[in-house]
Amino acid sequence: MKLKSLLLGAVAASAMAPAAMAERGADGQVNIIYWQAPSIMNPYLSGGTKDIEAASLVIEPLGRYDPTGALVPYLAEEIPTVENGGVAADLTSITWKIKEGMKWSDGSALTAADVVFTAEYCMSPEGGCAQRAKFDGVTSVEALDDLTVKVTFGQPTPNPYGPFMGGQSPIIQKAQFENCVGAAASSCTDQNFYPIGTGPFVVTDFRPNDVISLEANQNYRDPAKPAFATVNFKGGGDATASGRAVLETGEYDYAWNLQLAPDVLAQMAAAGKGEPIAAFGTLVERIEMNLTNPSPDLPEGERSTVAAPHPFLSEEPVRRALSMAIDRELLVEVGYGQAGRATCNLVPAPALYASDNTDCLTQDIEGAKALLEGAGWTDTDGDGIRDKDGVKLSLLYQTSTNAVRQDFQALIKQWWSEIGVETELRNIDASVFFGGDPGSPDTFQKFYADVEMYANNFDGTDPQSYLSMYRCGNEPKPSSQWQGENINRFCSEEYDALLDELARTGELEKRGEIAKKLNDMLTKETMTIVPLVDRGRVSARAMTLGGVQLNTWDSELWNAADWYRIKE
C-alpha cells in the first residue's frame, strides 16, 4: 500500500472511531512517545513544540483551535465575538467569561485573577516569556469580576485571539507561580516541572529529557474523563524508534512527529499494529540565518547578540546565494514524499495569507556563484573556499539529531561546497536543542552557530502573532534569559510598521495582502529565513487507541481527555 493511501486511510479511521467512554480511569494506561523529549512543563519558558504539547495535557487556555482551525471554547463559556458582545465594536478589547465551576487540580477555583496573573507573568520584561508575541499590543488585562476578564489593546485589533488561545498561551495558577515573575521565572523548578492545571492529567513525576508520569485529574470538569488513569510519556530516542514502537511492536499508543522517509514509514505501517495519521497545516522546515556573530572569541554578553553583526551573513547576497544553491524538490523527495511540499514561504497556509512566492523553487548553482562573485567573494588562495577582506565563507550549520535532518544537512553541505562555501555540520539532541535552558550553549534560541534548521508553525489560522515574532527587540538575549522568538535577530523599522498596520486592519483581503508582504520581507527580499519544506504533520496511533484527532492548528494532544481504549 502506498504511503498516501495509508495516511488517508488512517485519517478516516481515526475520525470514524466510535466514542466509548465509561468512567474516569477505566482504560488503564496510555503510552505516548515523543522522540524530542520535553525538558519543561511551562510553555512560557520554551518555544519548543514538544514542551508546549506535553504541557497541554495539564494546563489549558480559555479557547483552542479544532482540527479545522475553528475557535472552540475550553475554559471559557464561549468564544467572544463582535456579534455576541465579547469583542468591542471598535475592536480595542475582548472580554472572556470563564465557565462556572472550573477547578484547578488542587481543588481550588479557577478565577479571573489567574488569567490576569498569566498575562502579567508573560508580559514581564525580565521573564523572557517565549510566547510574548501573543500579547503584542495589549495595554491591560483586568478582572471585571471573579469570572470575567477584559483584555484591552492600544489600538483596534481585528484578531484579538492572541492571549489565552491555543496551546501556546494557557492559564497558569497565580497561587503557584506568584513568586516566579520576571527574572525568577526560570529558577522555579517545582512550578515549571509540576504545574497545577485544569487539564485532564496531573504530573506525578517529571524527569527532564526523559520520562513524564501523569495521572488523571480527579477535579477535571467532566466526571467521565479522562478514560485513562495514567499516562506514560516517554521522551528521547529518534523518530525511527518512535515509529516502530507504535506501528511495529505496539509498545506505545501514540508517536509524535514521525519525520521519516516515506518508504520507511510505509514499511513500518505494514506490520499492522498501528497506522500513520497526517494533515497539512503551517509547519515549515526552514534554515534560519544568524544575523549576529556567534564566534566564541566574543565576550559572553556579545556573542550572538545585536551588539555584534555577523561577519558575512549580514550581507544579503551571501544569504541569497545560499538559498539559490538548494534543490528543495529533491529535499522533499528524499525526506517526506507525499507528506511534504517544496516552499519559499514562512506562512504556507491558509491560502488567504500564503504568498505566491516561488522564486526559490528552482535550484541555481551558477547564479549563486555569480552573485557571490559580484559581491566580492572570490577564492583568492585557491582552496575552494571564497573569501573577502580576510574573512572566509566558512560556516557552522546546526540542527537537531534526526535522520531526515542529517540527510538534509549532507545534501545542503554538498550544494554549498559547489558555490565555494565551507560547511561544518553539527547535530544536537532535540531535547537539548529545543529545551530553552538559559545555561546551555546548545539551544536553538542561543544560536551559537551561523545557520540552523528546524520546523515551526503557529496556533490557529491567523499569522499575526507568528509574524510578530520577528519584531525588533524580540530576539533572545542575556537580559531575557535567552528567551525570545526572533531567532535570527532580524530588525526592520519597515517590517515593524507593517506589523502595526496588520494589527489595525480588519478587512480580510487587506490582512492577507499585508501578511504576504511581511512573509516576503523575511523570505524573499532579505532572505533572513530560508524556507525549505511545507511539512505535513505525520504521527501514528495504535489500532486500539480511539478518539485521536490530529490537529495541525493547536497541540496534537489538544483532546487527550477524549482518548480511549478500543476494546478488541
Side-chain angles (χ1 to χ4, degrees):
M1 186 183 293
K2 292 184 178 180
L3 176 62
K4 186 174 183 180
S5 300
L6 281 168
L7 298 180
L8 292 175
V11 171
S14 62
M16 294 187 295
M21 289 294 178
E23 62 183 58
R24 178 177 294 157
D27 287 345
Q29 179 164 287
V30 63
N31 297 304
I32 299 171
I33 186 166
Y34 273 45
W35 59 269
Q36 292 181 10
S39 57
I40 197 168
M41 292 292 281
N42 181 355
Y44 290 118
L45 296 185
S46 175
T49 301
K50 41 89 176 183
D51 299 317
I52 294 168
E53 299 207 353
S56 73
L57 293 169
V58 178
I59 49 180
E60 301 176 305
L62 297 180
R64 283 196 181 283
Y65 300 92
D66 73 10
T68 71
L71 285 67
V72 292
Y74 255 62
L75 298 177
E77 289 183 354
E78 61 183 353
I79 297 296
T81 63
V82 172
E83 290 74 17
N84 64 27
V87 175
D90 64 1
L91 307 181
T92 60
S93 69
I94 181 172
T95 302
W96 292 89
K97 298 256 185 201
I98 301 170
K99 290 177 184 176
E100 291 189 8
M102 294 294 98
K103 291 183 178 181
W104 294 103
S105 57
D106 65 1
S108 63
L110 168 70
T111 72
D114 295 301
V115 181
V116 172
F117 171 78
T118 299
E120 294 172 349
Y121 177 90
C122 187
M123 293 173 71
S124 171
E126 296 83 21
C129 180
Q131 314 301 336
R132 182 63 181 83
K134 289 284 189 178
F135 295 84
D136 200 33
V138 173
T139 57
S140 68
V141 180
E142 56 186 321
L144 303 185
D145 59 41
D146 282 351
L147 297 178
T148 309
V149 177
K150 181 180 181 181
V151 181
T152 302
F153 301 91
Q155 60 187 14
T157 304
N159 179 42
Y161 305 110
F164 318 126
M165 271 295 301
Q168 296 177 4
S169 190
I171 311 303
I172 57 176
Q173 189 190 57
K174 178 180 180 180
Q176 185 184 28
F177 281 89
E178 59 187 343
N179 294 322
C180 301
V181 179
S186 62
S187 64
C188 290
T189 303
D190 286 347
Q191 291 87 340
N192 294 329
F193 287 0
Y194 298 88
I196 294 168
T198 57
F201 297 100
V202 177
V203 180
T204 56
D205 186 32
F206 184 85
R207 302 177 192 175
N209 307 325
D210 188 5
V211 176
I212 312 169
S213 299
L214 305 97
E215 65 183 16
N217 175 6
Q218 297 305 315
N219 286 301
Y220 189 64
R221 53 190 171 273
D222 187 331
K225 299 178 182 179
F228 291 103
T230 57
V231 178
N232 172 39
F233 193 119
K234 178 71 175 75
D238 54 46
T240 301
S242 293
R244 285 175 177 157
V246 172
L247 298 172
E248 290 185 353
T249 70
E251 181 184 0
Y252 283 82
D253 297 300
Y254 189 83
W256 164 84
N257 187 22
L258 296 184
Q259 195 175 357
L260 299 168
D263 58 331
V264 173
L265 192 60
Q267 289 172 9
M268 290 181 183
K273 293 288 187 179
E275 54 190 359
I277 52 178
F280 277 94
T282 61
L283 186 66
V284 171
E285 190 81 13
R286 87 287 297 272
I287 290 175
E288 297 268 355
M289 302 281 181
N290 194 344
L291 300 182
T292 62
N293 193 342
S295 171
D297 296 333
L298 291 172
E300 186 65 21
E302 294 182 19
R303 185 182 182 189
S304 282
T305 72
V306 294
H310 197 282
F312 56 83
L313 290 178
S314 297
E315 296 187 24
E316 185 272 342
V318 175
R319 301 193 299 268
R320 186 171 299 276
L322 291 173
S323 176
M324 292 168 65
I326 296 171
D327 185 345
R328 289 162 173 80
E329 296 290 354
L330 182 57
L331 293 180
V332 170
E333 181 182 339
V334 167
Y336 297 100
Q338 296 285 349
R341 302 183 287 218
T343 188
C344 303
N345 289 324
L346 178 67
V347 178
L352 172 67
Y353 301 107
S355 171
D356 60 359
N357 175 22
T358 58
D359 292 357
C360 78
L361 297 183
T362 301
Q363 183 187 40
D364 187 359
I365 294 289
E366 294 307 315
K369 290 179 182 178
L371 189 61
L372 291 172
E373 289 281 344
W377 291 93
T378 59
D379 182 9
T380 58
D381 56 9
D383 65 353
I385 305 167
R386 295 179 185 271
D387 58 88
K388 184 172 72 172
D389 300 329
V391 176
K392 290 276 190 181
L393 281 186
S394 180
L395 55 81
L396 174 61
Y397 173 11
Q398 71 180 17
T399 189
S400 63
T401 304
N402 170 272
V404 171
R405 286 192 169 133
Q406 271 67 80
D407 287 344
F408 277 26
Q409 280 186 306
L411 285 167
I412 292 170
K413 176 179 179 176
Q414 172 60 36
W415 294 324
W416 285 350
S417 73
E418 293 175 23
I419 64 171
V421 178
E422 181 181 51
T423 307
E424 176 187 350
L425 301 181
R426 184 176 185 229
N427 65 83
I428 302 165
D429 184 89
S431 61
V432 176
F433 188 58
F434 297 113
D437 179 359
S440 171
D442 297 324
T443 66
F444 80 107
Q445 297 102 326
K446 193 162 279 189
F447 206 168
Y448 281 176
D450 301 289
V451 300
E452 63 185 8
M453 181 175 65
Y454 60 91
N456 208 346
N457 66 325
F458 56 90
D459 279 351
T461 57
D462 190 290
Q464 181 179 323
S465 293
Y466 190 60
L467 292 166
S468 295
M469 296 193 306
Y470 297 93
R471 186 182 288 278
C472 295
N474 201 24
E475 73 281 353
K477 47 190 174 290
S479 62
S480 67
Q481 311 297 313
W482 289 105
Q483 293 295 337
E485 303 143 312
N486 187 350
I487 298 301
N488 50 26
R489 287 63 163 157
F490 173 78
C491 183
S492 163
E493 291 183 3
E494 181 185 356
Y495 186 89
D496 287 1
L498 273 175
L499 282 177
D500 294 339
E501 185 180 348
L502 179 62
R504 59 178 178 264
T505 300
E507 202 272 309
L508 279 178
E509 286 192 13
K510 289 183 179 178
R511 287 182 65 76
E513 291 173 4
I514 297 169
K516 290 174 184 177
K517 288 180 183 178
L518 290 164
N519 173 89
D520 288 353
M521 285 185 69
L522 295 169
T523 62
K524 184 178 182 179
E525 297 171 16
T526 67
M527 306 300 296
T528 55
I529 297 174
V530 178
L532 302 173
V533 181
D534 174 12
R535 284 175 46 193
R537 191 85 64 85
V538 181
S539 294
R541 71 169 187 98
M543 294 297 193
T544 60
L545 181 63
V548 174
Q549 296 182 51
L550 184 61
N551 190 341
T552 62
W553 308 107
D554 207 311
S555 167
E556 286 196 22
L557 307 178
W558 75 290
N559 75 327
D562 300 329
W563 292 7
Y564 61 92
R565 183 68 65 200
I566 297 173
K567 309 302 181 187
E568 295 183 290

